[in-house]
Amino acid sequence: MKVIKFGGSSLASGESVSNAIDILTAEDQRQVMVVSAPGKRFPEDTKVTDLLIEYAEKTLHHQDTNNIVSEIFNRYQKIGKYFGISNTELDVIHYLLLNLPKQNYPNDDYLLAAFKAHGERLNARLIALILNQLGIKSRYIDPVEAGLIVTGEPNDALVNPESYINLDHLKIDPNEKIVFPGFFGITPSGHIATFSRGGSDITGAILARGLHSELYENFTDVSGIFSVNPAIVSHPATIKKMTYREMRELSYAGFSVFHDEALIPAIQGEIPINVKNTNLPTESGTMILPNRNFVPDRVITGVASQKHFSALYLHKYLLNKEAGFTLRILQILDKYHVPYEHMPSGIDDITIIFNRKFLTDQLIDLICNEIQALINPDQLEWINDYAIIMVVGEGMKNKAGVSATILSSLQEQGITPQMINQGASQISIMIGTKKEEASLAVKTIYRQFF
Ligand code: ASP
């Protein structure tokens, strides 16, 4: 059995839903279909999830919601009409949408989560109707029925291990297709909570693990995962195969085709993932596989960069001999509730890298002042615009001199990295540069290895 997940752009219109159904029915093993909410039909279009967020906000501010409800309903109506779904059946969707504000929510965050989740919930119901209308035996299963239990924040939930026990008890007839909504689960008290944005990938992975799927096929609008951002290097190579941990490192550094949290259930269940293109479904796409027995076919699998960092550089002679130095820095960060991303160090210096979203100008001043006063470094430099480049590849483990090659190719372009750090797994090298040098650095490294 295979779990197959479709992203929002693959289910945005009647034509695209029809295409997804062709993919679903092309193989008998493709039994469980996880769906996103209808996404964008064209670049300026709005995703149904974003329309639902607007609906939630208007509800919370007691504004008129007639237009936004019509706009959302219209998206489902158009898809339904394409397949000749009757008005009576479509009215159920309209009714469910209109009723959202009347439900009981513990607080505004739960309300927002429930509204958002209906993008996928209504889409899955509609697609099950469409399949049955087309004579394909299908069943809509709701996370309530399946026992997909989540905990944590209502809009940033985490799967509860109990879900896997519940999924083990789910009975699926070999002749039927299951349509399951992505993106949300049910809290222990019975309310809806969603995963973070793009979280239908997570639902697909949970079902793949829970139902012991032989493969998790993830259909999206690109032909697999590119080895570098196509906005930086045109027509980059597609990654044919990679390991889970390569994918984790790359998605941390900005590869967004597949949700990084969705890897965890797949890793736990050792389910291979295949990222494929809905418009070219016979292309092999990208396989994401367990590390065990993996034979890389190149040194480097991907190069990624992220530019939303700031860094604090501290230099102090004999820093290596001073006990408690790092602890005191961490205590200062803790006092201001500022998390850090990385802290590479040398004998006399240390760089602390922050995600800028956790900082304000005032916090930067407070932290720098306190570190200067309490730790008294010989040099303290704040680098506001800092970028991190990740070079990832299982093939690096067996190859000497990769860092040296990277450094010399960067130097030829006049780029002197501010920091270079090799992960203990030996499959990634992290390079810190000034923000404005990041794209050139990525291009240079890509050209060197591909
Ligand atoms: N519809 C949700 C979002 O736009 C989840 C998903 O598409 O995976 O974030």
Side-chain angles (χ1 to χ4, degrees):
M1 192 270 289
K2 292 180 184 171
V3 170
I4 163 169
K5 180 254 165 184
F6 289 94
S9 55
S10 307
L11 300 170
S13 64
E15 287 89 339
S16 49
V17 170
S18 167
N19 190 22
I21 292 175
D22 288 344
I23 294 171
L24 172 75
T25 51
E27 280 182 34
D28 288 343
Q29 294 111 295
R30 289 180 174 155
Q31 262 204 287
V32 178
M33 178 192 200
V34 174
V35 302
S36 283
K40 291 184 181 194
R41 293 159 293 184
F42 41 87
E44 310 74 43
D45 200 12
T46 311
K47 292 180 176 186
V48 166
T49 310
D50 292 308
L51 296 175
L52 284 158
I53 294 174
E54 199 181 323
Y55 180 22
E57 276 160 5
K58 289 209 151 94
T59 304
L60 289 171
H61 294 112
H62 309 288
Q63 289 165 356
D64 178 35
T65 55
N66 283 331
N67 288 347
I68 190 76
V69 171
S70 310
E71 200 177 338
I72 299 167
F73 177 57
N74 188 264
R75 295 292 307 268
Y76 293 104
Q77 201 180 23
K78 276 203 172 135
I79 297 173
K81 288 276 171 220
Y82 182 92
F83 295 94
I85 298 293
S86 72
N87 284 341
T88 330
E89 282 173 317
L90 288 171
D91 280 349
V92 177
I93 290 181
H94 198 204
Y95 171 83
L96 290 170
L97 268 176
L98 283 172
N99 260 288
L100 279 174
K102 298 181 195 134
Q103 306 300 313
N104 143 44
Y105 305 105
N107 63 36
D108 294 355
D109 291 337
Y110 283 89
L111 178 145
L112 174 64
F115 275 55
K116 266 163 44 193
H118 275 74
E120 346 302 274
R121 206 180 207 181
L122 300 177
N123 210 22
R125 286 182 77 116
L126 177 63
I127 292 174
L129 276 177
I130 294 172
L131 286 169
N132 283 309
Q133 167 120 340
L134 294 171
I136 304 157
K137 191 178 167 213
S138 319
R139 183 156 57 107
Y140 165 76
I141 297 188
D142 195 84
V144 176
E145 183 188 342
L148 203 175
I149 310 294
V150 294
T151 50
E153 298 291 315
N155 291 283
D156 192 8
L158 295 171
V159 62
N160 190 300
E162 189 194 334
S163 303
Y164 296 113
I165 300 169
N166 298 339
L167 286 170
D168 240 349
H169 294 131
L170 201 68
K171 296 257 174 308
I172 301 175
D173 174 5
N175 304 317
E176 68 177 347
K177 305 278 187 198
I178 300 298
V179 190
F180 198 98
F183 195 35
F184 72 98
I186 306 298
T187 66
S189 69
H191 290 278
I192 286 179
T194 71
F195 299 120
S196 54
R197 287 301 301 265
S200 296
D201 281 350
I202 305 175
T203 309
I206 295 168
L207 291 199
R209 176 184 162 190
L211 302 172
H212 313 285
S213 175
E214 67 192 76
L215 179 70
Y216 172 26
E217 289 180 300
N218 192 289
F219 278 88
T220 174
D221 52 4
V222 285
S223 288
I225 299 169
F226 293 126
S227 42
V228 70
N229 183 349
I232 300 180
V233 174
S234 51
H235 309 296
T238 303
I239 301 172
K240 294 259 171 288
K241 60 174 186 181
M242 70 202 298
T243 61
Y244 297 133
R245 54 183 188 175
E246 285 181 304
M247 186 70 238
R248 264 202 67 77
E249 304 253 2
L250 287 169
S251 48
Y252 166 77
F255 277 34
S256 59
V257 176
F258 188 72
H259 199 300
D260 60 339
E261 285 173 48
L263 280 164
I264 317 283
I267 294 173
Q268 290 162 337
E270 292 218 351
I271 317 283
I273 305 163
N274 194 185
V275 177
K276 298 187 84 171
N277 189 341
T278 330
N279 302 314
L280 298 162
T282 50
E283 282 196 358
S284 48
T286 301
M287 285 297 293
I288 311 173
L289 301 161
N291 314 334
R292 204 164 17 95
N293 303 331
F294 183 84
V295 185
D297 38 30
R298 41 168 72 249
V299 179
I300 278 171
T301 303
V303 188
S305 64
Q306 288 276 60
K307 297 182 181 167
H308 57 261
F309 298 103
S310 289
L312 176 63
Y313 172 78
L314 300 172
H315 184 276
K316 189 171 189 183
Y317 285 113
L318 302 176
L319 184 146
N320 60 329
K321 298 216 161 141
E322 215 173 292
F325 181 87
T326 327
L327 179 65
R328 276 179 287 142
I329 296 177
L330 293 179
Q331 280 165 338
I332 296 171
L333 298 182
D334 186 46
K335 176 173 161 193
Y336 295 108
H337 305 294
V338 173
Y340 74 93
E341 298 278 320
H342 308 285
M343 198 185 284
S345 62
I347 36 169
D348 290 328
D349 55 14
I350 189 162
T351 310
I352 309 157
I353 300 163
F354 303 93
N355 185 332
R356 215 168 323 119
K357 81 170 179 215
F358 297 113
L359 294 167
T360 59
D361 288 353
Q362 198 193 351
L363 274 173
I364 296 170
D365 286 347
L366 284 170
I367 290 168
C368 290
N369 291 349
E370 204 151 322
I371 288 179
Q372 187 62 58
L374 291 180
I375 292 174
N376 194 26
D378 301 322
Q379 189 187 339
L380 178 156
E381 188 188 346
W382 181 260
I383 309 159
N384 211 23
D385 291 319
Y386 199 82
I388 287 186
I389 293 160
M390 292 285 267
V391 186
V392 176
E394 292 280 348
M396 290 199 294
K397 266 191 311 205
N398 312 318
K399 177 104 182 136
V402 178
S403 313
T405 312
I406 294 175
L407 282 181
S408 61
S409 64
L410 291 179
Q411 245 134 31
E412 273 167 34
Q413 295 295 325
I415 302 170
T416 313
Q418 314 244 330
M419 172 280 285
I420 172 155
N421 193 20
Q422 178 152 27
S425 62
Q426 294 182 345
I427 66 152
S428 68
I429 295 175
M430 186 192 297
I431 299 156
T433 67
K434 291 191 193 118
K435 186 178 160 195
E436 53 288 1
E437 290 176 338
S439 297
L440 178 61
V442 167
K443 260 187 227 157
T444 308
I445 299 169
Y446 180 81
R447 288 210 188 104
Q448 182 68 38
F449 290 94
F450 283 83

